[in-house]
Structure formats: structure tokens, C-alpha cells
């Protein structure tokens, strides 16, 4: 709820949201850019072990840039206070939020979780 509140406070509109279990067949292409890295297995294990809430937001500017700024640095220990990861995160491989890093990855990730969007 706190994460959604912060997104909506920034004037971003959530256009898709779903509580779901993510299986390895979906998680693997989602994290494809990390395949072969030492933490890849930990990412898959975390995202597949419990429910997740994939969502898509839209706004007047590049929503992925606004979202990533709100999230803060990938590692919670480096994230600034006031960001989602800085205020709420603890572990690098168990992040509370994920955000696309550009329009291409946003398109790929949206099609994985919301193919009809």
C-alpha cells in the first residue's frame, strides 16, 4: 500500500496491477540481463517464492525515469532517504520494487506480465 501511495502521489496513474505468483518461466526472461551473474539464482528464488504485484504506471513524462528516481539506488544501503528502497528496503537481492530501465525494457516487461496491454 505504501508503495502504491507513493506512486500515486507523484501523479502517476496505475493502468495495470495484479497480485500473482511468478513462475520461473516468467522470471527468467524478466531478469534475462542478469543471467550468468552470481546473484541471478537469488533473484529467481526471491521473485518466485511468494506473491508479487506487477503493475504498470503512466504519466505525463517518461514514467520509467520518474519511477526509478522514486525507487532509489538498487542496493538499499546506497539508496537515499525519501526513496522507496532507502526508506523501506533492506537486502539487495530481496528488493521491494523493480523498475524498467528504459522504454525497451519496459515494453518487454509489460508484455511478460500484461500481454494484452
Amino acid at each position: 500500500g505504501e508503495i502504491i501511495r507513493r506512486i500515486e502521489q507523484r501523479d502517476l496513474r496505475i493502468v495495470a496491477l495484479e497480485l500473482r505468483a511468478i513462475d520461473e518461466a516468467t522470471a527468467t526472461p524478466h531478469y534475462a540481463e542478469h543471467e550468468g551473474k552470481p546473484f541471478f539464482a537469488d533473484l529467481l528464488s526471491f521473485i518466485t517464492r511468494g506473491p508479487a504485484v506487477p503493475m504498470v504506471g503512466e504519466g505525463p513524462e517518461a514514467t520509467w525515469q520518474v519511477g526509478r528516481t522514486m525507487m532509489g539506488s538498487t542496493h538499499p544501503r546506497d539508496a537515499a532517504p525519501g526513496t522507496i528502497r532507502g526508506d523501506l528496503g533492506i537486502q539487495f537481492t530481496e528488493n521491494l520494487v523493480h523498475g524498467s530501465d528504459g522504454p525497451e525494457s519496459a515494453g518487454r516487461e509489460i508484455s511478460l506480465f500484461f500481454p494484452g496491454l
Side-chain angles (χ1 to χ4, degrees):
E2 172 64 15
I3 293 169
I4 292 170
R5 183 188 68 77
R6 289 178 183 220
I7 291 167
E8 290 177 332
Q9 275 187 316
R10 288 297 305 264
D11 257 353
L12 300 177
R13 190 169 64 92
I14 296 171
V15 296
L17 180 143
E18 182 178 272
L19 176 66
R20 65 158 53 156
I22 298 175
D23 59 20
E24 197 166 323
T26 304
T28 300
H30 174 63
Y31 285 126
E33 68 271 14
H34 300 301
E35 198 161 355
K37 295 179 181 173
F39 56 85
F40 182 69
D42 290 336
L43 288 174
L44 292 183
S45 174
F46 176 65
I47 200 170
T48 59
R49 88 168 172 232
V53 183
M55 68 178 83
V56 178
E58 69 179 18
E61 303 226 2
T63 304
W64 66 270
Q65 289 174 316
V66 173
R68 288 187 63 92
T69 300
M70 290 175 49
M71 286 180 230
S73 180
T74 302
H75 203 304
R77 75 166 177 241
D78 301 327
T83 64
I84 293 168
R85 291 174 178 147
D87 292 349
L88 307 172
I90 296 173
Q91 288 185 279
F92 173 64
T93 57
E94 297 192 2
N95 249 311
L96 297 169
V97 290
H98 166 84
S100 304
D101 62 2
E104 295 80 20
S105 62
R108 178 179 56 80
E109 292 171 355
I110 290 168
S111 69
L112 274 172
F113 295 106
F114 301 100
L117 194 59

